[in-house]
Amino acid sequence: MNGPGEISGGLPKTERAIRFGLAYAYLDGDRATAASDERRTYEYQWGKILEQIVWAESLGFDSIWFGEHHFDALCPSPMLMSAAAAARTKSVRFSSAVMLAPLYHPVRLAEEAAMVSVLSGGRYDLGMGMGYSELEYEAFGVNMRHRPSLFEEAVEIVRRAFSGKPFSFQGQRFQLPEIAVTPVPVRAPRILLGGNVEAAIKRAALIGDGFISSRNSDLPIYEEALRAAGRKGTAIASQVAMIVEDPDRAAVDLKPYALNYVNTYVERGFVQRARFETVQDAVDSGLYNIWDGDRAVFEIASAILSHPSVDEVLFLASSGPGEPIENSYGRIQYIMDRVVPDIRRKVASAM
């Protein structure tokens, strides 16, 4: 059995560049723990997030990702956050992980994604998914049972829209006269699809430019679907893990935020179970991980070397809802100083 530092298997000896990104799921305002009322406002918290993104770019991170959910401490508009952050940065790329496509008209989605691409100098990709919250669908007046057809038609319409060429569309959910969507970015955003169930993963292989995973264990399903379809694709391997020097200490310090993280899934119906009471319970469930540097290098390098589709790895910027932005700087620095270089060395040595 392999332990940390031992990796079996691998790929043919070819050069392989892996990018590393930070994912922002929680944009806390009044739920943030802070010393004063001013520091509990969304204006304060979002300003600090934008400052941190500029700093993360200076460390060498390649990409920044924003998730979308509504009615909590989550991000309601990944594209607006991406546009704001792009105006403050120079080279780092941005993406949504993911836009809840069925909640939008796809033409509007395509127009706004193209605008972010133009405004950022081509540094934007469009991550799309279906979501799982009945509350969100009900609040936006969308029939949740129509998710698959709404989503698949949205992907097709967005792809045609990015071409800038005139097209019409007659589908089950959308009917469009002949239109030519503007703006037309010099570099069209990639269409990256997320999902947690097998059908969604296979759909990403069939109609997406890439797949945003939330578990490394989903990568074999994606790559097998690519092979079956005779397609090429890329995978972004998201790591739902806090990477720290001292996991035992982190399990204590991060407890309120970790439990907020996993219990959000319970409250929203993604996980059918009682609320989590301990961090160990969350770790045992597979929804959350706390790794030291050696374990992180082993897990991530193993995933990269076992799965040729992986060309990007994402780390969570926050440990969960309510964590002050200031808490995360040390973890992010540790990832870039300790973890990323060792992953690169292990991948390069196996080439």
Side-chain angles (χ1 to χ4, degrees):
M1 181 176 179
N2 294 331
E6 303 174 62
I7 300 173
S8 63
L11 299 172
K13 293 185 180 296
T14 57
E15 184 179 351
R16 188 167 175 200
I18 305 297
R19 295 184 297 275
F20 295 90
L22 280 179
Y24 288 83
Y26 302 99
L27 307 183
D28 295 86
D30 58 4
R31 284 182 62 169
T33 302
S36 69
D37 288 343
E38 179 190 37
R39 290 173 55 143
R40 294 173 66 89
T41 65
Y42 284 101
E43 286 80 0
Y44 177 88
Q45 290 293 323
W46 291 8
K48 290 299 180 182
I49 287 171
L50 292 172
E51 286 179 11
Q52 187 177 83
I53 288 168
V54 173
W55 171 76
E57 179 183 51
S58 74
L59 289 184
F61 280 96
D62 300 295
S63 61
I64 301 294
W65 301 66
F66 295 104
E68 178 187 1
H69 278 297
H70 301 270
F71 319 124
D72 207 331
L74 300 146
C75 178
S77 180
M79 283 197 283
L80 278 178
M81 287 300 297
S82 295
R88 291 163 170 80
T89 54
K90 297 178 180 179
S91 61
V92 69
R93 296 190 60 79
F94 295 90
S95 184
S96 48
V98 292
M99 297 292 295
L100 304 180
L103 303 185
Y104 297 83
H105 192 288
V107 173
R108 187 67 171 175
L109 190 63
E111 288 176 333
E112 294 188 357
M115 285 185 68
V116 179
S117 181
V118 170
L119 291 170
S120 65
R123 292 184 286 136
Y124 186 69
D125 292 315
L126 179 60
M128 302 167 66
M130 292 196 297
Y132 57 84
S133 170
E134 292 183 11
L135 174 62
E136 290 173 327
Y137 274 82
E138 183 178 357
F140 281 90
V142 179
N143 190 330
M144 196 168 181
R145 291 178 298 176
H146 297 164
R147 281 188 306 169
S149 54
L150 285 167
F151 183 74
E152 291 174 6
E153 290 186 17
V155 171
E156 177 62 24
I157 289 170
V158 167
R159 190 177 297 282
R160 294 191 195 183
F162 284 161
S163 74
K165 299 176 181 178
F167 74 98
S168 60
F169 187 86
Q170 297 297 315
Q172 183 179 4
R173 305 298 171 196
F174 299 102
Q175 295 78 43
L176 303 176
E178 186 171 285
I179 55 174
V181 174
T182 59
V184 183
V186 171
R187 181 195 177 281
R190 292 182 300 166
I191 298 175
L192 308 172
L193 307 185
N196 293 290
V197 299
E198 186 170 343
I201 299 167
K202 290 181 175 179
R203 185 183 295 113
L206 290 174
I207 65 175
D209 299 324
F211 169 54
I212 307 167
S213 76
S214 57
R215 298 181 298 258
N216 292 338
S217 58
D218 289 340
L219 296 170
I221 301 172
Y222 175 66
E223 291 184 338
E224 177 56 36
L226 282 177
R227 286 190 289 269
R231 299 187 77 230
K232 294 182 179 180
T234 186
I236 297 90
S238 305
Q239 307 301 305
V240 183
M242 292 299 101
I243 301 172
V244 295
E245 292 186 73
D246 186 344
D248 292 335
R249 175 65 182 272
V252 176
D253 292 346
L254 302 181
K255 178 180 178 180
Y257 320 121
L259 292 182
N260 281 345
Y261 180 95
V262 292
N263 284 326
T264 294
Y265 288 120
V266 175
E267 293 162 5
R268 289 172 166 264
F270 182 70
V271 178
Q272 303 296 320
R273 55 155 291 157
R275 287 176 57 85
F276 293 90
E277 300 296 334
T278 69
V279 174
Q280 188 59 51
D281 194 17
V283 170
D284 291 342
S285 76
L287 288 174
Y288 204 85
N289 293 292
I290 301 178
W291 296 336
D292 64 12
D294 288 342
R295 177 69 183 276
V297 171
F298 170 71
E299 295 287 348
I300 297 168
S302 295
I304 293 169
L305 292 169
S306 300
H307 301 292
S309 65
V310 174
D311 68 2
E312 189 153 0
V313 174
L314 300 188
F315 302 100
L316 291 179
S318 170
S319 66
E323 183 182 33
I325 187 72
E326 293 81 3
N327 281 22
S328 61
Y329 274 85
R331 290 195 308 271
I332 294 170
Q333 185 84 53
Y334 181 68
I335 288 169
M336 189 51 75
D337 288 350
R338 164 69 174 84
V339 176
V340 167
D342 278 0
I343 293 172
R344 287 183 168 140
R345 279 192 287 269
K346 285 192 175 292
V347 171
S349 68
M351 292 294 97

